[in-house]
């Protein structure tokens, strides 16, 4: 949980790379990659179970999401190292900069979507653990959390459109616009809302598939 929460905390600042500066972005990227490796070491049994058991619709969705996320999180540091101007300058591959930049842009925004969706797919297990630590279920707490999540999700739709994230996901725009007059907090808040939006999409996709096949 500590590793997963740390990755979620790092994600919005990483998306704000121009607002934080290149040096900070590169070190945060290294931290994210290290956490991702640690996450897979801690969950290494998942690889052994890939060819075992029956694949339900939920398991298939989760596995496809995880494999896409794995490929994405390999592409990010590789393209990042190729573009590095500070930490990995010795490994900088100047001739491949244009390709690396395109791959990094695509992987960054798809990573945002896939990581959030992945978190949502496992939201039920996380909530069950939190309920256990909070000494059981509370109807009032559940309603309050759902209302808060819905509000954040609606904000996420607005932020997704306002930040034109769809144009970066499908390379309709290859140059990310940053408003340097806007406080960093506003940028981070928008991206947290977008993360909640896709986490909700993952959570309710899993619930819908379970209901259809129950």
């Amino acid at each position: 949980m500590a590793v997963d929460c740390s990755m979620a905390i790092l994600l919005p600042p990483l998306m704000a790379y121009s607002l934080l500066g290149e040096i900070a972005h590169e070190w945060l990227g290294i931290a994210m990659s290290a956490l991702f490796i640690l996450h897979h070491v801690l969950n290494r049994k998942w690889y052994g179970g890939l060819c075992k058991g029956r694949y339900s619709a939920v398991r298939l969705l989760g596995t496809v999401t995880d494999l896409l996320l794995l490929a994405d999180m390999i592409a990010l540091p590789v393209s990042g190292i190729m573009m590095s101007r500070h930490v990995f300058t010795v490994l900088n591959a100047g001739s491949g900069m244009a390709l690396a930049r395109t791959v990094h842009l695509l992987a960054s925004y798809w990573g945002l979507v896939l990581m959030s969706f992945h978190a949502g797919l496992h939201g039920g297990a996380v909530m069950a653990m939190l309920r256990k630590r909070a000494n059981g279920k509370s109807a009032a707490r559940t309603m309050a959390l759902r209302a808060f999540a819905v509000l954040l999700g609606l904000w996420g739709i607005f932020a997704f459109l306002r930040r034109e994230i769809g144009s970066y996901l499908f390379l309709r725009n290859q140059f990310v616009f940053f408003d340097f007059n806007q406080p960093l907090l506003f940028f981070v808040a928008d991206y947290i809302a977008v993360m909640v939006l896709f986490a909700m999409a993952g959570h309710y996709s899993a619930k819908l598939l379970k209901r259809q096949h129950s």
Side-chain angles (χ1 to χ4, degrees):
M1 281 293 292
V3 172
D4 295 348
C5 288
S6 297
M7 292 174 70
I9 290 168
L10 282 178
L11 192 51
L14 274 167
M15 301 306 295
Y17 64 93
S18 284
L19 301 177
L20 287 177
E22 290 182 352
I23 297 176
H25 180 75
E26 289 190 21
W27 282 111
L28 287 174
I30 291 169
M32 176 66 89
S33 296
L35 287 168
F36 189 77
I37 291 169
L38 180 56
H39 173 86
H40 277 266
V41 170
L42 293 171
N43 293 279
R44 57 191 177 277
K45 290 182 179 178
W46 176 78
Y47 290 96
L50 280 174
C51 298
K52 297 177 182 178
R54 186 178 66 87
Y55 269 81
S56 64
V58 175
R59 186 185 178 191
L60 181 61
L61 177 62
T63 302
V64 170
T65 301
D66 290 349
L67 291 174
L68 288 173
L69 182 55
L70 177 61
D72 187 277
M73 291 299 290
I74 292 171
L76 271 171
V78 171
S79 57
I81 289 169
M82 289 176 69
M83 295 190 301
S84 176
R85 296 181 182 178
H86 304 283
V87 182
F88 297 104
T89 49
V90 176
L91 302 175
N92 195 303
S95 60
M97 285 285 282
L99 176 61
R101 188 185 175 283
T102 301
V103 169
H104 203 73
L105 175 68
L106 267 177
S108 296
Y109 282 90
W110 277 108
L112 172 77
V113 171
L114 290 168
M115 196 178 292
S116 303
F117 193 83
H118 166 85
L121 287 173
H122 298 278
V126 173
M127 291 305 296
M129 187 182 70
L130 292 176
R131 277 197 297 269
K132 186 177 178 181
R133 293 193 175 186
N135 298 319
K137 206 169 185 178
S138 166
R141 186 175 63 234
T142 300
M143 286 183 65
L145 287 172
R146 282 179 179 170
F148 183 61
V150 168
L151 288 174
L152 273 179
L154 291 172
W155 180 2
I157 295 172
F158 171 74
F160 182 89
L161 297 172
R162 185 162 72 99
R163 299 286 179 183
E164 299 183 351
I165 292 174
S167 67
Y168 306 131
L169 288 170
F170 298 101
L171 279 185
R172 291 200 299 269
N173 189 347
Q174 297 187 33
F175 297 93
V176 182
F177 172 76
F178 289 95
D179 182 359
F180 291 95
N181 295 317
Q182 185 183 59
L184 176 63
L185 181 62
F186 289 177
F187 182 96
V188 169
D190 272 356
Y191 274 80
I192 289 173
V194 171
M195 288 169 64
V196 171
L197 172 66
F198 283 102
M200 288 177 67
H203 178 67
Y204 286 106
S205 293
K207 288 191 77 169
L208 181 64
L209 288 173
K210 285 178 181 176
R211 189 172 297 171
Q212 287 180 343
H213 293 84
S214 59

